[in-house]
Structures are given as structure tokens and as C-alpha cells.
Amino acid sequence: MNIEEIRLKLKDKNTKEILSYFLNEQKNKIALASSLSIEDQVLTDMLYSINEDAKIFTLDTGRLPKQTYVLIEKTNKKYKKNIEVFFPQTKKVEALVNQKGMFSFYNSIKDRKECCFIRKIEPLKRALDGLDIWITGLRRDQSTTREEMELLEWDEGNKMLKLNPLIDWNEEDVWAHIKYNDVPYNELHDKGYPSIGCEPCSRAVDSGKDIRSGRWWWENPEHKECGLHIKENR
């Protein structure tokens, strides 16, 4: 599959047309990895409107806010489909907590990335097994680490294609779709949380602040990725 040829073919397509193209071409070899963000909720809404059997999964790190679990249930009920849930390996979580405590991720970037690997990256690799393309809700204007991302990329770490259908959307576009289509979203967004991950690593921010500033707020912006979306294009 030639990335440049596909990019050219999809150049003038809208988001729904892009998703339809890949769902038709890839059948069961494509899935949305949903973090239940507003972007992923938009994509969930679009995917199910195209194909009610579209594959969507999420990662339960064991440290998510209650509101995120509530959103999973609301989403399942609205679309009459259950999002598949992947969990970290019990023994690895037990070893991490027993050796380093409940909050080792505050100690250093290395320790935080270790926690992210155990709770997110390893489960993601299992979830992606057997797929050719994974869909994300990434947008360029979310953070400095995402400014150079493209609609379609080669993910070297997972040896597969990554599709970013909302890469050129802005936050206003996302909220407009959610409001117009009555898409469920995390109630923490109404309490000052523009970006929501694990409960200990997310916090509310002042209006107008960078949307990722509430994630891993003790780190510099250039380090604010868990490892799922480190860019390794070819």
C-alpha cells in the first residue's frame, strides 16, 4: 500500500468519505483506538453511521476517572454496540506498584513512561494484533508533538499504517459535530478538563490554556506523550 498514492487519492475527500474508503478497503483489518476523547467520540459516531460493525476498542489503564467509565456505558447504550476493552497485564501492574509505589510516574519521565508502557502501550499492541490500520483522533493543533503529523502515516513502532482523519480539524469543528449529533462526551470537559487520561495524570486548566497542559502538567510540553503516538515516519 503506497502512502503517497493514497494521500493523493483522498486529497479532496471529506472525513466521512475518507473513513468509508478505508472501511471498505480494509474490512476487518482496521479499528479505532478510542481514548473516549471528544475527537474519538466524533469518530465513533461517524464510524457507526457508516458501518454498525466497525471495530472500536479502548484501553482501561485501571486509573481512569469514574466519568470515563460512565461515558463508555453511555456510548455503548447510544450506539447499541459494546466498545471492546483491553486491560494491562495484572502481573506487570502488580510488580510495578509493589516495587515503586502507587505514584512512581511523578518521580521522573522514565518512571512515568514505564507506567504508560505497562498500562497503555503493551495493551495497545495486543489490541492492534492482526490489524493493518489503526484510526486515531489526533489533531495537529493539540500539541507541539503533533504539529507535523499527516492524515496517513507509517507507524514504525507497530509496523502498520496510522490513519488520522481529524488531523486538520480544530476544536470548534469537533464540538460542533458533538453538539449537532448529540454525541456523548466526558462530563469532565464541562469542568475545565480539555484533555483527559488517567485520573492522577489529568487536571483542569484555566480557559485559554493549551489543551494538553492539564496532562502530565509537571513535565515540559515536548515530553507530553505516553508513547502511543511518537512519530516515526518513513
Side-chain angles (χ1 to χ4, degrees):
M1 187 178 290
N2 186 290
I3 293 179
E4 291 303 326
E5 288 181 6
I6 298 174
R7 285 175 179 166
L8 187 62
K9 182 182 295 187
L10 299 175
K11 184 178 179 181
D12 298 317
K13 303 293 185 183
N14 64 38
T15 303
K16 203 163 184 179
E17 290 171 335
I18 290 170
L19 289 171
S20 295
Y21 170 83
F22 282 101
L23 286 176
N24 182 62
E25 289 290 318
Q26 294 298 311
K27 307 298 182 185
N28 297 323
K29 295 291 187 177
I30 184 170
L32 168 65
S34 174
S35 66
L36 286 303
S37 66
I38 52 173
E39 292 82 6
D40 290 333
Q41 289 298 95
V42 166
L43 290 172
T44 293
D45 184 67
M46 286 187 173
L47 287 167
Y48 281 146
S49 72
I50 297 167
N51 184 345
E52 62 180 15
D53 293 320
K55 183 178 177 63
I56 301 174
F57 67 84
T58 192
L59 309 177
D60 183 353
T61 64
R63 302 297 293 266
L64 301 178
K66 175 185 176 181
Q67 292 86 347
T68 301
Y69 295 113
V70 170
L71 178 58
I72 292 173
E73 290 298 302
K74 286 182 178 179
T75 305
N76 289 345
K77 185 174 294 185
K78 177 177 175 65
Y79 299 105
K80 298 179 175 59
K81 288 286 180 179
N82 287 339
I83 296 172
E84 190 173 8
V85 182
F86 286 81
F87 296 87
Q89 294 183 14
T90 304
K91 290 186 181 300
K92 292 184 178 181
V93 175
E94 288 177 349
L96 174 66
V97 172
N98 287 328
Q99 291 170 16
K100 297 188 175 182
M102 289 289 182
F103 301 103
S104 60
F105 41 84
Y106 290 139
N107 296 335
S108 67
I109 292 174
K110 180 180 178 181
D111 281 343
R112 197 267 294 166
K113 288 186 175 182
E114 178 184 25
C115 184
C116 286
F117 183 88
I118 291 171
R119 294 182 183 274
K120 298 174 73 173
I121 298 174
E122 191 281 327
L124 175 70
K125 290 184 180 297
R126 282 188 280 116
L128 294 176
D129 186 41
L131 300 179
D132 291 332
I133 299 179
W134 63 302
I135 306 169
T136 85
L138 299 179
R139 295 187 292 109
R140 285 198 189 93
D141 67 358
Q142 287 172 324
S143 71
T144 58
T145 61
R146 299 176 180 182
E147 291 175 347
E148 298 182 2
M149 289 184 168
E150 301 290 340
L151 170 69
L152 187 66
E153 303 182 315
W154 176 255
D155 187 292
E156 182 63 27
N158 291 295
K159 306 296 182 185
M160 66 193 309
L161 289 173
K162 180 194 290 185
L163 176 63
N164 309 312
L166 304 184
I167 197 68
D168 291 319
W169 284 42
N170 58 41
E171 188 174 358
E172 289 73 24
D173 296 329
V174 177
W175 280 114
H177 183 99
I178 284 178
K179 299 296 185 181
Y180 185 81
N181 295 281
D182 194 27
V183 177
Y185 66 89
N186 197 316
E187 65 183 54
L188 287 176
H189 289 303
D190 295 330
K191 299 179 180 180
Y193 286 74
S195 182
I196 305 162
C198 290
E199 189 278 332
C201 300
S202 307
R203 69 176 182 180
V205 300
D206 293 334
S207 178
K209 289 274 191 177
D210 180 89
I211 63 173
R212 297 275 290 178
S213 61
R215 299 288 296 279
W216 307 300
W217 63 90
W218 62 94
E219 296 180 4
N220 293 328
E222 63 269 22
H223 298 304
K224 290 189 176 188
E225 290 288 355
C226 61
L228 297 182
H229 302 298
I230 298 300
K231 185 176 173 64
E232 294 183 83
N233 268 5
R234 71 175 182 184

